[in-house]
Structure formats: structure tokens, C-alpha cells
Amino acid sequence: MSKYKKITDPNERKDVAWLTMMAAEAHLIASDSCLSTAGSSADTHSFFLRIVSFELLLVSVEQSLRLLLLLRFSIFPKNSGHNLFDLYQKLAEKDADNEWIIEGIIAVMNARKNIISPTSEEELAACLKEHCSSYSNTKYFQVNREGKLSGNFGHSVREREILHCFALVLIDLNKSWLIMLDSTDEQLRMKGFTGEKLEVLKKRLHSSDA
């Protein structure tokens, strides 16, 4: 049974998309705020603020990946799961058909030299796989549903750096797709999409492919 459902109704798709976009951006802003408040202090309060900041960062990435799958392929997870690597793998699977979405994301991440030192698709995937269940560990501070410790919820500076830059790039990418989704043919032509390029873009924007 598929873990994803189609959302092809234009109005529903647009409503879900904008709310998911706002969720991704709000969680990233909150993450940055918590990190800023924690500062460089080594006390317990600051340590746990940094953990909460990482949790919110993971949520932002999750929301953005869900949104990108919706905008580009008209599919949305049936349940949250909070597994970033599963969402990334689904994107990579759909991306295999000459879309180059992930390759483009990596290129933009690496262009932001003031934010991150160069990374690769392999390092990004490894980071997402390493933290595929970190959301639950961080949200509940390692305490699981049975009242037992669920494992380590730490992360390296490099992992945070990668995920933070990934979150920023995903938000920018999704915003551009949302703007195009609301654009008329004439507005798209003014952006340089004409002829065959315009038809291909319209097909992608209104895809019902699963």
C-alpha cells in the first residue's frame, strides 16, 4: 500500500501548499531564535534550548520536503512519520526521471559559501539517514512512549550546518514553485518561459503523476 496520496484538486493543493510553506518557514525562524537565545553558554538551560532548536530545524526540513513532493509530483504523505530520509528517498526516486532537483539543491547549497562549506548528495543523504528518527528523540528529550530512554539525541556542528542550509534552500525553492503556481501564462512568459519550455513547466506545475 502506498504511503502517499494524490492531491490534485487545485484549490486543496494550493491551501495545503501555502500552510505547509508557512509551517516550514515558521519552524526555521523559531529554531534560529532558540539557538540565538541559547548562545554559547554551557549551562543546562542553554544546552536544552539548542536541542529544541535542532528539533524545530528537523520539522522545517520535513515540512519543506513534504511540500516539494506536493508541488512537483502532487503527492503527500498519508501520515507524518517524521522520517526525513524516507521523504528524501521518495524525492530521489521521483527525481530519477531527468528532473535533477536534488542536484540543483546541492548546487545552490554549495553556492552559499558564507553558510556552508561544500557538501555532496552522499553527505546530505547520510546526514538525513543519521537523523531519520531524531525528531522524536529530541522532542521528548530521549524519553519514549514506554517511559524509557530512546537513545542519543545529539548532533554535530557539521550536521546542523548541512540541515540548516538545506532548510533555507528548500524554502527558497518551494517559494519559487508557489509563486509560479499562482502565475498566469503571461507572467510565466515574462519570466522567460515560452513555447515548449512553458508547456513543460505547466505540465510540471499541474502534474498528477504519482
Side-chain angles (χ1 to χ4, degrees):
M1 183 180 295
S2 174
K3 297 179 181 179
Y4 295 84
K5 63 179 180 181
K6 292 182 181 179
I7 300 182
T8 54
D9 177 81
N11 292 326
E12 180 184 11
R13 188 176 178 218
K14 188 177 295 184
D15 289 343
V16 171
W18 276 110
L19 288 170
T20 306
M21 176 77 251
M22 287 187 280
E25 194 160 23
H27 279 90
L28 185 58
I29 292 170
S31 173
D32 290 344
S33 179
C34 282
L35 190 64
S36 176
T37 301
S40 58
S41 176
D43 62 59
T44 302
H45 181 262
S46 295
F47 170 76
F48 283 113
L49 272 178
R50 285 190 283 273
I51 294 299
V52 171
S53 172
F54 191 65
E55 170 205 336
L56 295 169
L57 175 58
L58 294 172
V59 176
S60 177
V61 172
E62 177 190 354
Q63 296 285 22
S64 286
L65 287 172
R66 288 153 63 96
L67 177 56
L68 185 53
L69 285 167
L70 173 63
L71 292 174
R72 179 57 199 91
F73 303 109
S74 298
I75 59 175
F76 205 73
K78 290 181 178 178
N79 56 67
S80 58
H82 306 302
N83 191 317
L84 302 186
F85 189 61
D86 276 357
L87 293 169
Y88 179 82
Q89 282 189 306
K90 187 64 175 180
L91 182 61
E93 171 194 321
K94 303 295 288 184
D95 189 34
D97 187 24
N98 299 318
E99 290 296 338
W100 307 109
I101 295 173
I102 293 173
E103 184 177 286
I105 288 171
I106 293 294
V108 175
M109 287 176 68
N110 288 337
R112 298 189 174 195
K113 296 181 175 64
N114 61 320
I115 298 177
I116 187 174
S117 56
T119 187
S120 64
E121 291 184 33
E122 291 75 20
E123 187 180 23
L124 174 61
C127 182
L128 294 170
K129 188 173 184 178
E130 174 67 22
H131 291 286
C132 63
S133 60
S134 290
Y135 171 75
S136 296
N137 284 340
T138 54
K139 181 178 180 180
Y140 299 109
F141 284 20
Q142 291 184 279
V143 179
N144 65 19
R145 294 178 181 178
E146 286 74 43
K148 297 180 180 180
L149 297 184
S150 58
N152 176 42
F153 58 3
H155 59 276
S156 70
V157 172
R158 175 63 175 172
E159 287 167 341
R160 182 184 177 87
E161 180 184 64
I162 290 170
L163 289 170
H164 188 264
C165 190
F166 188 43
L168 287 170
V169 172
L170 285 174
I171 285 172
D172 286 348
L173 176 61
N174 283 329
K175 277 184 178 178
S176 69
W177 274 98
L178 276 168
I179 290 169
M180 288 191 290
L181 192 62
D182 280 338
S183 298
T184 63
D185 285 5
E186 183 58 32
Q187 289 170 327
L188 292 173
R189 289 190 190 97
M190 291 176 66
K191 294 178 184 290
F193 294 98
T194 58
E196 185 177 344
K197 287 174 64 177
L198 177 61
E199 293 307 312
V200 170
L201 178 64
K202 287 170 63 178
K203 182 179 179 181
R204 289 177 177 178
L205 288 172
H206 303 288
S207 171
S208 61
D209 173 43

